[in-house]
Amino acid sequence: MSQSRSAAARVRLLRVEVRKTVAAPLRPIWFRQVFDGCCEEPAVAALLPADAQLTLLVAGDRTLRRLNRRFLGEDQPTDVLSFPSGGGDEPGYLGDLAISWPTVQRQARHYCHPVESEAGLLIVHGLLHLLGFDHADRAGEKVMTRLTWSCLNRLDLGIGARRLASA
């Protein structure tokens, strides 16, 4: 997307509802700006349906563990979960993302980068899954890694050297 495109136009590319169930210092507008930046990546923008929308849940480890157990059969907390809508009754609805704020904080400390960088990385990762990307095989992993780096660079979110392999 060109720099001349207005913020209002970007908002129309992807509507994001942010729900926070834990105290996280980042405001909903910050999360929406991360999604807006991702939408500037041509490969992402090309896959967005008209009137695209999603819900982001910022929650705690217990909530992510419960969701992970219920929907994926894994009884452990995780950093991000993506629940694609599959088209369903709401055209344009991509699905739901959930991130664990305590895990964001721990991983940011571990990889020596700001919580904004870690949260941005998880949002990019989750959005790519909602758009159909996967890292189950090496080829898919390379594509996701390349797109993740592209989005993070657009957002000027630097991450620790060990956090994400180069594409």
Side-chain angles (χ1 to χ4, degrees):
M1 183 157 87
S2 72
Q3 294 294 338
S4 64
R5 195 151 182 189
S6 71
R10 283 186 295 201
V11 169
R12 278 182 265 151
L13 282 178
L14 180 60
R15 253 188 16 242
V16 179
E17 179 182 345
V18 178
R19 297 180 183 169
K20 291 168 51 174
T21 62
V22 296
L26 302 177
R27 297 174 56 167
I29 188 71
W30 184 88
F31 292 104
R32 289 184 187 103
Q33 288 170 340
V34 171
F35 286 106
D36 287 348
C38 291
C39 292
E40 292 177 4
E41 171 59 39
V44 170
L47 294 172
L48 289 174
D51 298 321
Q53 55 186 309
L54 63 84
T55 301
L56 170 67
L57 172 66
V58 181
D61 285 338
R62 268 193 301 201
T63 299
L64 271 282
R65 181 179 188 155
R66 181 178 49 78
L67 292 169
N68 204 14
R69 181 178 53 240
R70 180 174 177 194
F71 294 103
L72 299 176
E74 296 185 25
D75 191 14
Q76 60 191 13
T78 189
D79 51 6
V80 61
L81 290 169
S82 300
F83 301 99
S85 73
D89 295 334
E90 291 184 62
Y93 192 75
L94 297 177
D96 304 315
L97 293 180
I99 63 171
S100 167
W101 189 254
T103 301
V104 166
Q105 293 174 304
R106 285 191 304 274
Q107 290 178 174
R109 275 192 308 273
H110 179 78
Y111 291 106
C112 301
H113 55 236
V115 292
E116 292 87 353
S117 295
E118 185 66 24
L121 172 65
L122 298 180
I123 288 169
V124 170
H125 186 86
L127 177 61
L128 292 176
H129 277 304
L130 290 182
L131 293 173
F133 293 97
D134 199 359
H135 48 79
D137 60 33
R138 185 67 184 133
E141 183 181 5
K142 286 180 108 172
V143 169
M144 279 192 75
T145 299
R146 182 181 51 75
L147 287 172
T148 299
W149 276 115
S150 181
C151 289
L152 292 174
N153 289 336
R154 285 176 185 282
L155 294 160
D156 199 26
L157 292 175
I159 59 173
R162 301 179 335 243
R163 182 62 175 107
L164 185 63
S166 296

